[in-house]
Amino acid sequence: DGGITQSPKYLFRKEGQNVTLSCEQNLNHDAMYWYRQDPGQGLRLIYYSQIVNDFQKGDIAEGYSVSREKKESFPLTVTSAQKNPTAFYLCASSPDFGNSPLHFGNGTRLTVT
Amino acid sequence: GDSVTQMEGPVTLSEEAFLTINCTYTATGYPSLFWYVQYPGEGLQLLLKATKADDKGSNKGFEATYRKETTSFHLEKGSVQVSDSAVYFCALLGNTGGFKTIFGAGTRLFVKA
């Protein structure tokens, strides 16, 4: 079955360490996205990529970085510069950018202590 | 900029009760509107969508009508089940400037047996 795989489901890190969250899709979608979800808030866009080798900052990109070297993969690195990294991170994809609903993975819960 | 406002939760209902979750939006142009559902520990799934005024989206007994005159897209279901307990997100995808999906804060629904 086609879908989006995020791994791991739970991730624990010490403050000051960088950590990379994995996102892989086999839907053959061009566009991919990273959202952050905090309790009681909607989803906030971190980064998005319309096509391979291209990505743009979303609304809360500070302290995060991404790469899009392959169509199916869009890893997110949470750097030590991110002031409040503990959150639920959701990866999504869509067939094209700006014209389709989103397909989501099951998320990674990151806890930084 | 574009925005989505939905009623605060949690909403607690008994099984077979009628459900309404209010959603209003602010957007330039003619956005597409969506309802997504998030079950515990999972990512979001598209529940229904409407792409133009007066369209009615429906799925699994849920319905919502795109009302341009009131800028609303309220979610309704005639008889809820315990399995409908989840968080519901209203969202819009604008078609002017940005082409990004904007989410409301989410409404948590609890259905009691």
Side-chain angles (χ1 to χ4, degrees), chain B residues 57-97:
Chain B
S58 61
N59 186 25
K60 299 180 182 179
F62 291 90
E63 293 183 339
T65 301
Y66 190 141
R67 301 282 188 205
K68 188 161 177 60
E69 64 276 13
T70 54
T71 62
S72 65
F73 193 55
H74 304 321
L75 182 68
E76 297 182 335
K77 187 176 186 184
S79 175
V80 293
Q81 306 300 312
V82 172
S83 57
D84 293 327
S85 298
V87 181
Y88 293 82
F89 291 91
C90 185
L92 71 81
L93 175 57
N95 57 5
T96 61

Side-chain angles (χ1 to χ4, degrees), chain B residues 11-35:
Chain B
V11 174
T12 302
L13 296 173
S14 297
E15 210 166 20
E16 299 184 4
F18 185 86
L19 168 71
T20 300
I21 300 178
N22 291 336
C23 171
T24 57
Y25 68 91
T26 302
T28 55
Y30 301 92
S32 295
L33 300 175
F34 308 91
W35 278 100

Side-chain angles (χ1 to χ4, degrees), chain A residues 78-95:
Chain A
V78 184
T79 76
S80 56
Q82 168 50 231
K83 297 278 190 289
N84 186 19
T86 294
F88 190 51
Y89 291 88
L90 287 161
C91 179
S93 70
S94 62

Side-chain angles (χ1 to χ4, degrees), chain A residues 9 35 37 40-43 45 48 59 88 90 97-102 104-106, chain B residues 34 36 38 41-46 49 89 93-94 98-101 103-106:
Chain A
K9 190 168 180 65
Y35 285 90
Q37 183 178 18
Q41 300 191 37
L43 278 65
L45 183 63
Y48 64 97
D59 301 316
F88 190 51
L90 287 161
F97 178 74
N99 200 33
S100 309
L102 303 176
F104 283 87
N106 279 336
Chain B
F34 308 91
Y36 288 86
Q38 184 179 33
E42 298 184 6
L44 280 68
Q45 303 172 26
L46 178 67
K49 67 177 182 179
F89 291 91
L93 175 57
F99 299 95
K100 290 182 277 188
T101 301
F103 289 87

